[in-house]
Amino acid sequence: MKKVLMKGNEAIGEAAIRAGCLNYFAYPITPQSEVAEYLSKRMPEVGGVFLQGESEVAVGYMIFGAAACGARVFTTSSSPGISLMSEAISYIAGAECPAVFVNIMRGGPGLGGILPSQGDYLQATKGGGHGDYRMLVMAPASVQEAAEMVMQAFPLAEKYRNPVMILGDGLIGQMMEPVMFPDHLRTEPSNKDAWATNGMDTRRSDKRNLVKSLYLDPNVLNAQNLKLKAKYEQMKREEIRFEAYHTEASYEALIVSYGTMSRVCKTAIDNLKEEGIEIGLIRPQTLFPFPEMAIRQACDRPECRVVLSIEMSMGQMLEDVERSVQGKKPVEWYGKCGGEVPTPEEVMDVVRSFLKQYGKE
Amino acid sequence: MKKVLMKGNEAIGEAAIRAGCLNYFAYPITPQSEVAEYLSKRMPEVGGVFLQGESEVAVGYMIFGAAACGARVFTTSSSPGISLMSEAISYIAGAECPAVFVNIMRGGPGLGGILPSQGDYLQATKGGGHGDYRMLVMAPASVQEAAEMVMQAFPLAEKYRNPVMILGDGLIGQMMEPVMFPDHLRTEPSNKDAWATNGMDTRRSDKRNLVKSLYLDPNVLNAQNLKLKAKYEQMKREEIRFEAYHTEASYEALIVSYGTMSRVCKTAIDNLKEEGIEIGLIRPQTLFPFPEMAIRQACDRPECRVVLSIEMSMGQMLEDVERSVQGKKPVEWYGKCGGEVPTPEEVMDVVRSFLKQYGKE
Amino acid sequence: MKKVLMKGNEAIGEAAIRAGCLNYFAYPITPQSEVAEYLSKRMPEVGGVFLQGESEVAVGYMIFGAAACGARVFTTSSSPGISLMSEAISYIAGAECPAVFVNIMRGGPGLGGILPSQGDYLQATKGGGHGDYRMLVMAPASVQEAAEMVMQAFPLAEKYRNPVMILGDGLIGQMMEPVMFPDHLRTEPSNKDAWATNGMDTRRSDKRNLVKSLYLDPNVLNAQNLKLKAKYEQMKREEIRFEAYHTEASYEALIVSYGTMSRVCKTAIDNLKEEGIEIGLIRPQTLFPFPEMAIRQACDRPECRVVLSIEMSMGQMLEDVERSVQGKKPVEWYGKCGGEVPTPEEVMDVVRSFLKQYGKE
Amino acid sequence: MKKVLMKGNEAIGEAAIRAGCLNYFAYPITPQSEVAEYLSKRMPEVGGVFLQGESEVAVGYMIFGAAACGARVFTTSSSPGISLMSEAISYIAGAECPAVFVNIMRGGPGLGGILPSQGDYLQATKGGGHGDYRMLVMAPASVQEAAEMVMQAFPLAEKYRNPVMILGDGLIGQMMEPVMFPDHLRTEPSNKDAWATNGMDTRRSDKRNLVKSLYLDPNVLNAQNLKLKAKYEQMKREEIRFEAYHTEASYEALIVSYGTMSRVCKTAIDNLKEEGIEIGLIRPQTLFPFPEMAIRQACDRPECRVVLSIEMSMGQMLEDVERSVQGKKPVEWYGKCGGEVPTPEEVMDVVRSFLKQYGKE
């Protein structure tokens, strides 16, 4: 198990294969087209399938179709492409099929730009599609973490029979880092005979499964929604992941930040520490479920005077941070959403400025 | 100005015409197809256009096209159809064009059912599409209010050059009530020459406008996102609307509820009052911007022991309520999401049960 | 009724309006986009509708839909676009609806080129679509004739309840000539209540018509095909049109040529006459039905030693000419199909060369 | 090499595989869906690909794409589906790529019926698409012949770099007959490096080929069309195939008939012989190129008083027969086009009737 230097987008593609996923359907869009390029060559080598759909709408339903047959399947896209898959994602969640969606976010709204962004936080965590469903959303901050999260996403999708989204930004997709693919993350789907359609292959299972999201009886649909809700509550109990950085210290401010943005924040925190300013960081690794309790407790420390949501979006995570903080401390936002990642210096200035604003009495 | 008895869906169609909107593009879906049926006959009578697109994806872009030309334009759809318009809505917001979307929600996720629901709260308020944008979302609780909100939606969309959504449920669309269309709500678009494309009609304007959402320069895109953010902040200052019901009393619990669900809650509140139990209600009429401050203040009353988010969804509004309450009072949820509207008796039971749980010491 | 100088494509658009057709659906393609450009402005002025479909496939079915409702409707396209309408044309013929298709041919096959051609003769006359149907095909040789044929096409389509095609080449579409639109060619559809669907408008007709092309009973489908065949036989009796040029002389060769190509042939014939060489010309104005008998008789003149099919295609009309000539005289082909129209000098050379080959004994 | 009892549609699918074609793209339509059903299971077994397109328009271009890469590829469809592929077929011919199309004809026009027909003769032989191109068209009369023709179609398509069509009727597709797949008909594509794109696989060929049908220079496009024309002339010299039945006798009438219809005619001829009436038959096995000379010579026999084109269409082959006969003998048509195949008795009656009409003086 040795490390290889890979671009994030390639590592994402390779990770899916290493996880045991041999079905990849996609439609090209900057800045994630390298995944498709990589897998167009790699999938045939491993006996897998790469199929380009005629649009993202089609890809969403190709994913649904494969998932309904019990196949491990995933797609990658970027912001506008994910919007076009919104209806299908809702159908997949409603029909309780497992599938993995990777969103390498670009600047929005609309065409926006092709540079990195975190502008799809709300779409990913609150549901771009219609109806009462959620996706389990994981946000990597390095190529290695992206690879591992992709590998973990498949068994998680199958555990919950629900779509899982890897929410990366363009930088994660484009940067090169050494990466390894842990063998123990290679898994086998275990339970698909219980629910997947199996065509005419009676050797596989003689159970006749029906995959659907239509429930015309209101009591049955309500029960189905309560069942889904119970799964999302279970996610909140079992799947929350976050990194606490420098929270052993007596920090004056708590930063909440994820993905590429959190790496910059860590550098800023290290630099500020040298200046004698202690700052803590909570980095959500899952965006849904959100580490509410961790943030609530971390902000409750008496020295902490302010909580900062630092994002490459215009305050999308801010609402979740506010909800977590419950009014215990002031919550402020800083961010940029055009493609340029704020520098450590910018973050340092922002922190100093807010510390001044919420100065010691 | 006299009242006529109309179905909600028909009143919505008529209201758009009375507001001065002569362009309607749509694709049929239960439970809002009556709007299309009504306007297919009515639009030609008033010199307007009804055009059925070949899909909801197409309709979204037909709306964009008409809006970009400065025409008042709207569509109606139901949950899955709105998901298919998610990309276009993001484009329209990004390009700063005014347009009105009516979502007569049905049960979800996926195909779900065809009965009433409030399951698209998060999609509507947090952004189904990608990128940093918001829609101004209004939620009527009666046919009359639906008609007025539709009429108000057009000048609001133009004021902010942003999509406005009317979020109704199937009951609002299907029920018949007496309705009138106030003449003073008929408005004229005032500023379109400043931004709309005008084809070859130089009599109208000699300004060459460009409508786009692509900004490849990250600084320009960031500035554009800050400009959008400023508009959404302005909405929060100027457009929040809510109804406070029975909040002059010393209520033991505060209900937050909207749309058809809030009507049931009012009946429950009236009945409970006869039993000697005082309950207050805040009914958001705008879901974005959300009446945070009103709820925060209303829950702060000393007698109020618990805040209840009562929805025809699985706790979608709950998060906004929690964020508003800031931990001052416990927040609980009750709801159903299958098509059946909870009865006043159910709501009364729920209230009594929570009052007991959070009983006086 | 005075002449105006117009481009062929504009004259075609105007002629349809003057004929009483207020419905035009199209998708742009060189070299006929000027029709769409012209009618996008002109149709609204006369209360008509121009609607651009999302593809030529869609346009074909929009034509079918309008025709099935009894509306006069037409489209214009160029070669590849007509191929995409092939299925719809077959459906319209099978369902016996009237509609007018204008094909301003460009070079083919495939993308080919954008310059004039006559390469769709076989597609137009033998049926690009499936099944036993024919279109009545008219081929204008001047802007004036194009305008008149368009005006005549609508009542002919209604007489036969069958698609009519105007087969022009890019030159007809692009050249400017003085044109007038004879008032007597403005007609009213007379019989649509007998077969068109009429929606809910019972004032118009209380007959419930059904428009369809599906006949699952083989005897009924055979009877329907015999009915169609009878119509095409009637066309052969009643609609054949051709121009005989210089056929009063004792010509040594007979040219068969149509459209722009025939104009060049006439100049060549005039020039050859000055050299003392007499050549006759039959110019088919209808390509289906084809003037077989006229050609058979014209080639039977004893002095006539050879029949020449001169086309801007690779021998497509040649087969019809051969069939007409019935072996009475040798039949030869000359043509070019790349966009360049053969010059009179070229035609003269070709004629001299064939006369030599088939010289007097 | 032993015979197996197979349905025609299955034999067609198996024959393609035996011929070395491992790529099959299709869209289901009665009466050929069994090919897709069969190959959906069979292709994966042999390492091939079956991919259902989202429409026949898409399938046409998937065929083009695979063919342009040098892959052996084919599709099967039925009448309306072939119409939708018309544009793509013209592109493939224009770009000189080899591909095999199987049309299992059903009754038309429009939806028509789902029973056997020969109603697409003209579409297949005269070009459903636009521009100057032809397909090589083969018409099997038995399951065995269908299998062999499919196997021969691939090397023929490659010899001419042109689409080849197998034109069968629904009966050929549905009937069961013993069939074997001759090993010597398994071939290897020989020349694709000369013209096919080869992606990044420089081991295969370092030639950079360009596949296109666009030629904007009129001289170049004309030259391309002359090159295509030369190929079609070569087909006429080298590929004409037909069966002469009972033509050694002194027949009073000559029947021209193909496919399933010709089998009925043979029975009728056998029965008539027992009555003392001698009838000859020419069965075209290629419809383009058409066996003109064979028919011309066969009808020239002095005893032959009339030529009969007997078709399951409304006189589509009649024109080619007339052209072949060159007025030497009267040509008559008999046919049915609704799905019912004429019986031997019907054909015998028809023959007797025409013999009487054209009785000996």
Side-chain angles (χ1 to χ4, degrees):
Chain A
M1 209 166 57
K2 63 177 213 278
K3 294 206 170 190
V4 276
L5 190 68
M6 289 184 97
K7 213 182 220 198
N9 278 330
E10 294 177 353
I12 284 166
E14 185 62 27
I17 289 174
R18 300 293 179 99
C21 172
L22 295 181
N23 301 285
Y24 171 68
F25 309 142
Y27 191 84
I29 179 171
T30 300
Q32 65 74 47
S33 299
E34 291 92 347
V35 188
E37 194 182 347
Y38 180 81
L39 289 178
S40 70
K41 284 176 280 183
R42 187 77 175 103
M43 274 294 184
E45 290 175 7
V46 295
V49 173
F50 159 51
L51 196 54
Q52 181 177 317
E54 78 269 17
S55 71
E56 287 94 344
V57 175
V59 166
Y61 284 99
M62 290 158 75
I63 297 288
F64 188 9
C69 299
R72 280 199 169 167
V73 62
F74 87 118
T75 190
T76 60
S77 189
S78 183
S79 312
I82 297 293
S83 291
L84 287 169
M85 296 179 195
S86 292
E87 195 204 30
I89 292 174
S90 172
Y91 275 65
I92 294 169
E96 295 190 84
C97 291
V100 175
F101 293 82
V102 178
N103 181 0
I104 302 297
M105 292 178 280
R106 56 188 262 176
L111 273 175
I114 58 170
L115 294 170
S117 153
Q118 295 181 328
D120 305 343
Y121 178 94
L122 284 172
Q123 184 191 49
T125 60
K126 307 299 175 188
H130 58 285
D132 281 282
Y133 78 93
R134 299 283 189 156
M135 287 192 286
L136 200 163
V137 183
M138 295 195 282
S142 69
V143 174
Q144 180 62 38
E145 194 173 38
E148 293 182 19
M149 282 179 170
V150 167
M151 295 184 80
Q152 292 156 344
F154 293 98
L156 280 170
E158 287 153 9
K159 174 179 178 184
Y160 291 101
R161 288 176 50 193
N162 200 73
V164 172
M165 178 167 276
I166 307 297
L167 195 67
D169 53 67
L171 251 166
I172 295 286
Q174 300 296 333
M175 77 170 96
M176 293 192 82
E177 290 188 329
V179 63
M180 64 169 196
F181 305 95
D183 286 342
H184 71 276
L185 293 183
R186 177 178 196 94
T187 50
E188 289 296 328
S190 55
N191 59 345
K192 71 183 175 187
D193 287 347
W195 57 270
T197 60
N198 59 7
M200 290 156 296
D201 189 356
T202 50
R203 292 163 302 180
R204 235 176 69 194
S205 160
D206 57 1
K207 190 142 168 269
R208 301 190 63 162
N209 293 311
L210 178 62
V211 173
K212 67 163 189 172
S213 66
L214 182 70
Y215 299 98
L216 289 173
D217 181 324
N219 290 316
V220 177
L221 180 53
N222 191 49
Q224 174 70 4
N225 268 310
L226 286 168
K227 184 185 170 201
L228 296 181
K229 183 178 168 64
K231 296 200 301 191
Y232 306 132
E233 297 300 330
Q234 185 187 353
M235 288 182 193
K236 289 181 186 176
R237 288 192 307 274
E238 302 182 13
E239 309 303 342
I240 288 174
R241 286 167 56 183
F242 63 93
E243 181 193 6
Y245 186 74
H246 206 58
T247 50
E248 68 295 345
S250 296
Y251 43 86
E252 301 177 60
L254 178 71
I255 291 176
V256 184
S257 190
Y258 72 98
T260 293
M261 190 67 245
S262 68
R263 292 172 73 148
V264 177
C265 290
K266 282 186 184 175
T267 305
I269 287 171
D270 292 347
N271 293 350
L272 286 167
K273 189 180 171 68
E274 292 180 13
E275 296 182 13
I277 302 173
E278 302 282 348
I279 306 292
L281 171 81
I282 296 287
R283 172 171 78 91
Q285 290 166 302
T286 52
L287 302 181
F288 182 90
F290 192 72
E292 291 175 42
M293 202 53 66
I295 292 168
R296 195 171 303 156
Q297 291 170 352
C299 77
D300 216 13
R301 296 268 287 264
E303 303 82 2
C304 177
R305 304 200 301 273
V306 62
V307 182
L308 305 177
S309 181
I310 302 189
E311 333 166 7
M312 280 148 66
S313 53
M314 292 287 144
Q316 296 198 15
M317 186 172 61
L318 177 63
E319 293 194 0
D320 273 338
V321 176
E322 286 178 341
R323 206 162 43 79
S324 305
V325 168
Q326 280 195 335
K328 292 175 193 296
K329 294 287 159 66
V331 181
E332 295 285 353
W333 163 83
Y334 179 71
K336 263 189 176 172
C337 192
E340 206 179 2
V341 183
T343 62
E345 289 66 36
E346 263 176 277
V347 173
M348 290 164 71
D349 284 348
V350 163
V351 170
R352 283 192 211 98
S353 163
F354 280 123
L355 283 181
K356 197 167 189 181
Q357 183 180 339
Y358 296 100
K360 300 178 195 160
E361 291 102 90
Chain B
M1 208 166 60
K2 64 177 209 283
K3 294 204 170 191
V4 276
L5 189 68
M6 289 183 99
K7 215 182 219 199
N9 278 331
E10 294 176 353
I12 285 166
E14 185 63 29
I17 289 175
R18 299 294 178 98
C21 171
L22 295 181
N23 300 284
Y24 172 68
F25 309 143
Y27 191 83
I29 180 171
T30 301
Q32 65 73 48
S33 298
E34 291 93 346
V35 189
E37 195 183 347
Y38 180 80
L39 289 178
S40 69
K41 283 175 282 184
R42 187 78 175 103
M43 275 295 186
E45 289 174 7
V46 295
V49 173
F50 159 51
L51 197 54
Q52 182 177 317
E54 78 271 17
S55 71
E56 285 94 344
V57 176
V59 167
Y61 285 99
M62 290 158 75
I63 296 288
F64 189 9
C69 298
R72 280 199 169 165
V73 64
F74 87 118
T75 189
T76 60
S77 189
S78 182
S79 312
I82 297 292
S83 291
L84 288 169
M85 296 181 195
S86 292
E87 195 204 31
I89 292 174
S90 172
Y91 275 63
I92 295 170
E96 294 189 87
C97 291
V100 175
F101 293 81
V102 178
N103 181 1
I104 302 297
M105 293 178 279
R106 56 187 263 176
L111 273 175
I114 58 171
L115 294 171
S117 154
Q118 295 181 329
D120 305 344
Y121 177 95
L122 284 172
Q123 184 189 48
T125 60
K126 306 300 176 188
H130 58 286
D132 280 283
Y133 78 92
R134 299 281 189 158
M135 286 192 287
L136 200 163
V137 183
M138 295 195 281
S142 68
V143 174
Q144 179 63 38
E145 194 174 39
E148 291 182 18
M149 283 178 169
V150 167
M151 295 184 82
Q152 291 155 346
F154 293 98
L156 280 170
E158 287 152 9
K159 174 180 177 185
Y160 291 101
R161 289 175 49 191
N162 200 73
V164 171
M165 178 167 277
I166 307 297
L167 195 67
D169 54 68
L171 250 165
I172 295 286
Q174 300 296 331
M175 77 169 100
M176 294 193 81
E177 288 187 331
V179 61
M180 64 170 198
F181 305 95
D183 287 341
H184 70 275
L185 294 182
R186 177 178 198 95
T187 50
E188 289 297 326
S190 55
N191 59 345
K192 70 182 177 185
D193 287 347
W195 57 270
T197 61
N198 60 7
M200 290 156 296
D201 189 356
T202 48
R203 288 162 305 179
R204 235 176 69 194
S205 160
D206 56 1
K207 190 143 167 269
R208 300 190 65 161
N209 292 312
L210 178 62
V211 173
K212 67 161 187 172
S213 66
L214 181 71
Y215 298 96
L216 289 173
D217 181 325
N219 290 316
V220 177
L221 179 54
N222 190 51
Q224 174 69 4
N225 268 309
L226 286 169
K227 182 183 171 203
L228 295 181
K229 184 178 168 63
K231 294 200 302 190
Y232 306 133
E233 298 299 331
Q234 184 186 354
M235 288 181 194
K236 288 181 187 177
R237 289 191 306 274
E238 301 182 13
E239 310 302 342
I240 289 174
R241 285 166 57 182
F242 64 92
E243 179 192 7
Y245 185 74
H246 206 59
T247 49
E248 69 295 345
S250 296
Y251 43 85
E252 300 177 60
L254 179 71
I255 292 176
V256 183
S257 190
Y258 72 99
T260 294
M261 190 66 245
S262 68
R263 290 172 75 147
V264 177
C265 290
K266 283 186 185 176
T267 305
I269 287 171
D270 292 347
N271 294 350
L272 286 166
K273 188 180 173 68
E274 292 180 13
E275 296 181 13
I277 302 174
E278 302 280 350
I279 307 293
L281 171 82
I282 296 286
R283 173 172 78 90
Q285 290 167 300
T286 53
L287 302 182
F288 181 90
F290 192 71
E292 292 175 43
M293 202 52 66
I295 292 169
R296 192 170 305 155
Q297 292 170 350
C299 77
D300 216 13
R301 295 269 288 263
E303 303 81 3
C304 177
R305 305 201 298 274
V306 62
V307 181
L308 306 177
S309 182
I310 302 188
E311 331 167 7
M312 280 147 66
S313 54
M314 291 287 144
Q316 295 199 13
M317 185 171 62
L318 177 64
E319 293 193 0
D320 274 338
V321 176
E322 286 178 343
R323 205 161 45 78
S324 304
V325 168
Q326 281 195 335
K328 292 175 194 295
K329 294 288 159 65
V331 181
E332 296 286 352
W333 163 82
Y334 179 72
K336 263 188 176 171
C337 192
E340 207 179 2
V341 183
T343 61
E345 288 67 35
E346 263 175 275
V347 173
M348 289 164 71
D349 283 348
V350 163
V351 170
R352 283 192 210 100
S353 165
F354 279 122
L355 283 181
K356 198 166 184 179
Q357 184 181 338
Y358 296 99
K360 299 177 195 161
E361 292 99 270
Chain C
M1 207 167 59
K2 64 177 211 280
K3 294 204 172 193
V4 276
L5 190 68
M6 288 183 99
K7 214 182 218 198
N9 278 332
E10 294 177 352
I12 285 166
E14 185 63 28
I17 289 175
R18 299 294 178 100
C21 172
L22 295 182
N23 301 283
Y24 171 68
F25 310 143
Y27 191 84
I29 180 171
T30 301
Q32 64 75 46
S33 298
E34 291 93 345
V35 188
E37 194 182 347
Y38 180 80
L39 289 178
S40 70
K41 283 175 282 184
R42 188 77 174 101
M43 274 295 184
E45 290 174 5
V46 296
V49 172
F50 159 51
L51 197 54
Q52 181 176 318
E54 78 270 18
S55 71
E56 286 94 344
V57 176
V59 167
Y61 285 99
M62 290 158 74
I63 296 287
F64 188 8
C69 299
R72 279 198 168 166
V73 62
F74 86 119
T75 190
T76 61
S77 189
S78 182
S79 312
I82 297 293
S83 291
L84 288 169
M85 296 181 195
S86 292
E87 195 204 31
I89 292 174
S90 172
Y91 274 64
I92 295 169
E96 295 189 87
C97 291
V100 175
F101 293 81
V102 178
N103 181 0
I104 302 297
M105 293 178 281
R106 56 188 262 177
L111 273 175
I114 58 170
L115 294 170
S117 153
Q118 296 180 329
D120 305 342
Y121 177 95
L122 284 172
Q123 184 191 48
T125 61
K126 307 300 176 189
H130 58 284
D132 280 283
Y133 78 94
R134 300 283 190 156
M135 286 192 287
L136 200 163
V137 184
M138 295 195 280
S142 68
V143 174
Q144 179 62 38
E145 194 174 38
E148 292 182 18
M149 283 178 169
V150 167
M151 296 185 80
Q152 291 156 345
F154 293 97
L156 280 170
E158 287 152 10
K159 175 180 177 184
Y160 291 101
R161 289 175 47 193
N162 199 73
V164 171
M165 177 167 276
I166 307 298
L167 195 67
D169 53 67
L171 250 166
I172 294 287
Q174 301 296 331
M175 77 170 98
M176 294 193 82
E177 289 188 329
V179 61
M180 63 170 198
F181 305 95
D183 287 340
H184 71 276
L185 293 183
R186 178 179 195 93
T187 51
E188 288 297 327
S190 55
N191 59 345
K192 70 181 175 185
D193 286 347
W195 56 270
T197 61
N198 59 8
M200 291 156 296
D201 189 357
T202 49
R203 289 163 304 179
R204 234 175 72 195
S205 160
D206 57 1
K207 194 145 165 269
R208 300 190 64 161
N209 292 311
L210 178 63
V211 173
K212 68 162 188 172
S213 67
L214 181 71
Y215 298 97
L216 289 173
D217 180 326
N219 289 316
V220 176
L221 179 55
N222 190 50
Q224 173 69 5
N225 268 309
L226 287 168
K227 183 184 170 200
L228 295 181
K229 184 178 167 65
K231 295 200 302 191
Y232 306 132
E233 298 299 331
Q234 184 187 354
M235 287 182 194
K236 289 181 186 176
R237 290 190 306 274
E238 301 182 11
E239 311 303 342
I240 289 173
R241 286 167 56 183
F242 62 92
E243 180 193 7
Y245 185 76
H246 206 61
T247 50
E248 69 294 345
S250 297
Y251 44 86
E252 301 177 61
L254 178 72
I255 291 176
V256 183
S257 189
Y258 72 98
T260 293
M261 189 68 245
S262 68
R263 291 172 73 149
V264 177
C265 290
K266 282 186 184 176
T267 306
I269 287 170
D270 292 347
N271 294 349
L272 286 167
K273 189 180 171 68
E274 292 179 15
E275 297 181 13
I277 302 174
E278 303 280 349
I279 306 293
L281 171 81
I282 296 286
R283 172 170 79 89
Q285 290 167 301
T286 54
L287 302 181
F288 182 90
F290 192 72
E292 292 175 41
M293 201 53 66
I295 293 168
R296 193 170 306 154
Q297 292 170 350
C299 77
D300 216 13
R301 297 268 288 264
E303 303 82 1
C304 176
R305 305 201 298 274
V306 61
V307 181
L308 306 176
S309 181
I310 301 188
E311 329 165 9
M312 279 146 65
S313 54
M314 291 287 143
Q316 294 199 15
M317 186 172 62
L318 177 64
E319 293 194 359
D320 274 338
V321 176
E322 285 177 344
R323 204 162 46 79
S324 305
V325 168
Q326 281 194 336
K328 292 175 193 297
K329 295 286 160 65
V331 180
E332 296 285 354
W333 164 83
Y334 179 71
K336 263 189 178 171
C337 191
E340 206 179 4
V341 183
T343 61
E345 289 66 36
E346 263 176 276
V347 173
M348 290 164 71
D349 283 348
V350 164
V351 170
R352 284 191 210 100
S353 164
F354 279 122
L355 283 180
K356 198 166 186 181
Q357 183 182 339
Y358 296 99
K360 300 179 194 159
E361 290 99 272
Chain D
M1 207 166 59
K2 64 177 211 281
K3 293 205 171 191
V4 276
L5 189 67
M6 290 184 97
K7 213 182 218 197
N9 278 332
E10 295 177 352
I12 285 166
E14 185 63 28
I17 288 175
R18 300 293 179 99
C21 171
L22 294 181
N23 301 284
Y24 171 67
F25 310 142
Y27 191 84
I29 180 171
T30 301
Q32 65 74 47
S33 298
E34 290 93 347
V35 189
E37 195 182 345
Y38 180 81
L39 289 178
S40 70
K41 284 176 280 184
R42 188 77 175 103
M43 274 294 184
E45 289 175 7
V46 295
V49 173
F50 159 51
L51 197 54
Q52 181 177 318
E54 78 270 17
S55 72
E56 286 94 344
V57 175
V59 167
Y61 284 100
M62 289 158 76
I63 296 287
F64 188 9
C69 298
R72 277 198 171 168
V73 63
F74 87 118
T75 189
T76 60
S77 189
S78 182
S79 312
I82 297 293
S83 291
L84 287 170
M85 296 180 194
S86 293
E87 195 205 31
I89 292 173
S90 172
Y91 275 65
I92 294 169
E96 294 189 87
C97 291
V100 175
F101 293 81
V102 178
N103 180 1
I104 302 297
M105 293 178 280
R106 57 188 261 177
L111 273 175
I114 58 171
L115 295 170
S117 154
Q118 295 181 329
D120 305 342
Y121 178 95
L122 284 172
Q123 185 191 48
T125 60
K126 307 300 176 190
H130 58 284
D132 279 282
Y133 77 94
R134 299 283 189 156
M135 287 191 288
L136 200 162
V137 183
M138 295 195 281
S142 68
V143 174
Q144 180 61 39
E145 195 174 38
E148 293 183 18
M149 282 178 170
V150 167
M151 296 184 80
Q152 293 155 344
F154 293 98
L156 281 171
E158 288 152 9
K159 175 179 177 185
Y160 291 102
R161 289 175 47 192
N162 200 73
V164 172
M165 178 167 276
I166 308 297
L167 195 68
D169 53 67
L171 250 164
I172 295 286
Q174 300 296 331
M175 76 170 100
M176 294 193 80
E177 289 188 330
V179 62
M180 63 171 200
F181 305 95
D183 286 341
H184 71 274
L185 293 183
R186 176 176 197 97
T187 50
E188 289 296 327
S190 55
N191 59 346
K192 70 181 175 186
D193 287 346
W195 58 270
T197 60
N198 59 8
M200 292 155 296
D201 189 356
T202 50
R203 291 161 304 179
R204 233 175 73 193
S205 160
D206 57 1
K207 192 144 166 266
R208 301 190 63 161
N209 292 312
L210 177 62
V211 173
K212 67 163 188 170
S213 66
L214 182 70
Y215 298 98
L216 288 173
D217 180 325
N219 290 316
V220 176
L221 180 54
N222 191 50
Q224 174 69 4
N225 267 311
L226 287 168
K227 183 183 171 202
L228 295 182
K229 184 178 168 65
K231 295 200 301 191
Y232 305 132
E233 298 298 331
Q234 185 186 354
M235 287 183 194
K236 289 181 187 177
R237 289 191 306 274
E238 300 181 13
E239 310 304 341
I240 287 173
R241 285 167 57 183
F242 63 93
E243 180 193 6
Y245 185 76
H246 206 60
T247 51
E248 69 295 345
S250 296
Y251 43 86
E252 300 177 62
L254 178 71
I255 291 176
V256 184
S257 190
Y258 73 98
T260 293
M261 190 67 245
S262 68
R263 292 172 75 148
V264 178
C265 290
K266 283 186 184 176
T267 305
I269 287 171
D270 292 348
N271 293 349
L272 286 166
K273 189 180 172 69
E274 292 181 13
E275 296 181 14
I277 302 174
E278 302 281 350
I279 307 292
L281 172 81
I282 296 287
R283 172 172 78 90
Q285 290 166 301
T286 53
L287 302 181
F288 182 90
F290 191 72
E292 291 175 43
M293 202 52 66
I295 292 168
R296 195 170 304 155
Q297 290 169 352
C299 76
D300 215 14
R301 297 268 288 265
E303 303 83 2
C304 177
R305 305 200 301 273
V306 63
V307 181
L308 305 177
S309 182
I310 301 189
E311 333 166 4
M312 279 147 65
S313 53
M314 291 287 143
Q316 295 199 13
M317 185 172 62
L318 177 64
E319 294 194 358
D320 273 339
V321 176
E322 286 177 342
R323 206 162 44 80
S324 305
V325 168
Q326 281 194 336
K328 291 175 193 297
K329 294 288 159 64
V331 180
E332 296 285 354
W333 163 82
Y334 178 72
K336 262 188 177 171
C337 192
E340 206 179 5
V341 184
T343 61
E345 289 67 36
E346 263 177 276
V347 173
M348 290 164 71
D349 284 349
V350 164
V351 170
R352 285 191 209 99
S353 163
F354 279 123
L355 284 180
K356 198 166 185 181
Q357 184 182 338
Y358 296 99
K360 299 177 193 158
E361 293 97 271

